[in-house]
Amino acid sequence: HFNTPELDGLVVTDCSWLLQAITVIIRHPTLHPLPQDALYCHSLPFKELYTKGLLSPSFAVKLLDKMTPTEKMRVLHVMLQAKFILPHQFNSDCSGFLVPSLLPPTLPGGEQLPTAARHVVHLAPHTTDDLRLPSFLSRKELAAHCHIPAGVFAYMAARLARLSQASGLLVRTPSLSRTAAIVSLGPHDVVLLENTELHTLELRTASANSLGALRQVSQCLS
């Protein structure tokens, strides 16, 4: 099922059951509170989820407390398969999930994007046949019909954050929002930005000697 062994043999006969399970996690706790919120509302995992869009596996299990372990595992794998959540490395010692729909509208802590960019690389799709996982090319000349499918920015931001965590030279925690992300790759700060005017994603850096690194990153994201 979905080419995912963990979902092999799964048949959902009651779609509302699955929808209710997903909305236990993906929701606005002020508009849609649950009884267990009283237990967790002051905890760090709760705040990380509903202010930064970061979900720890152990906290997901706690939220799905009315399910069996097998049901919890399957719900999380369905959410991964549907891209409701994405694999994410919080730091070198902790991994979990990024929840795109719960990312903050602006960068956390009021952080501002760099005002000047020394280098810019555009990422534009060369096919829209498969809107789930489009292929990307780095191009200077952009076609007028470029189209960035919904959800691709968060997918790329999660990949870029994993690259940042795996670089071994982490100097800052990735800062993620719905349309912009700032990560460190070695000594360089790299910005991933959704350009709504050109309908592309942009990789930007202000470092003078970072063009080579930026091209390597764009190839890794392609």
Side-chain angles (χ1 to χ4, degrees):
H1 188 66
F2 295 117
N3 297 319
T4 303
E6 292 81 3
L7 298 178
D8 192 26
L10 174 66
V11 177
V12 179
T13 58
D14 183 359
C15 294
S16 64
W17 171 85
L18 182 59
L19 180 61
Q20 288 172 4
I22 292 173
T23 53
V24 165
I25 297 173
I26 302 180
R27 59 190 170 89
H28 194 299
T30 303
L31 299 177
H32 304 286
L34 293 177
Q36 61 262 44
D37 289 355
L39 296 174
Y40 308 123
C41 62
H42 298 296
S43 67
L44 181 60
F46 187 94
K47 294 177 181 178
E48 292 274 280
L49 174 59
Y50 294 113
T51 62
K52 297 182 180 180
L54 303 178
L55 173 64
S56 70
S58 60
F59 187 57
V61 169
K62 290 180 180 179
L63 289 176
L64 300 172
D65 59 346
K66 298 185 184 302
M67 294 185 168
T68 67
T70 299
E71 289 174 337
K72 294 175 183 179
M73 178 270 293
R74 285 180 167 173
V75 166
L76 290 175
H77 277 288
V78 167
M79 293 176 71
L80 279 168
Q81 187 67 37
K83 302 294 186 296
F84 292 149
I85 59 176
L86 302 170
H88 183 66
Q89 192 77 22
F90 293 172
N91 53 55
S92 59
D93 301 319
C94 180
S95 60
F97 307 109
L98 181 69
V99 187
S101 60
L102 295 180
L103 284 172
T106 58
L107 291 171
E111 186 173 6
Q112 300 295 314
L113 290 171
T115 55
R118 187 69 63 91
H119 301 296
V120 177
V121 173
H122 291 279
L123 301 175
H126 70 272
T127 177
T128 55
D129 293 337
D130 185 353
L131 297 184
R132 294 170 301 168
L133 291 174
S135 300
F136 277 75
L137 293 176
S138 300
R139 300 187 297 190
K140 291 183 179 179
E141 299 297 329
L142 302 172
H145 62 274
C146 284
H147 173 66
I148 298 296
V152 171
F153 170 80
Y155 178 76
M156 290 297 180
R159 289 184 64 180
L160 189 60
R162 290 199 297 274
L163 282 175
S164 174
Q165 301 284 11
S167 68
L169 297 172
L170 187 66
V171 295
R172 64 177 293 149
T173 301
S175 184
L176 307 174
S177 71
R178 292 177 193 168
T179 58
I182 305 177
V183 303
S184 66
L185 291 165
H188 311 298
D189 271 357
V190 174
V191 176
L192 178 67
L193 182 67
E194 186 173 15
N195 188 320
T196 55
E197 181 179 353
L198 295 177
H199 306 293
T200 63
L201 300 182
E202 292 180 4
L203 281 173
R204 295 183 175 189
T205 180
S207 303
N209 60 343
S210 60
L211 182 59
L214 203 61
R215 287 173 174 166
Q216 289 179 353
V217 172
S218 68
Q219 291 172 359
C220 291
L221 294 179
S222 299

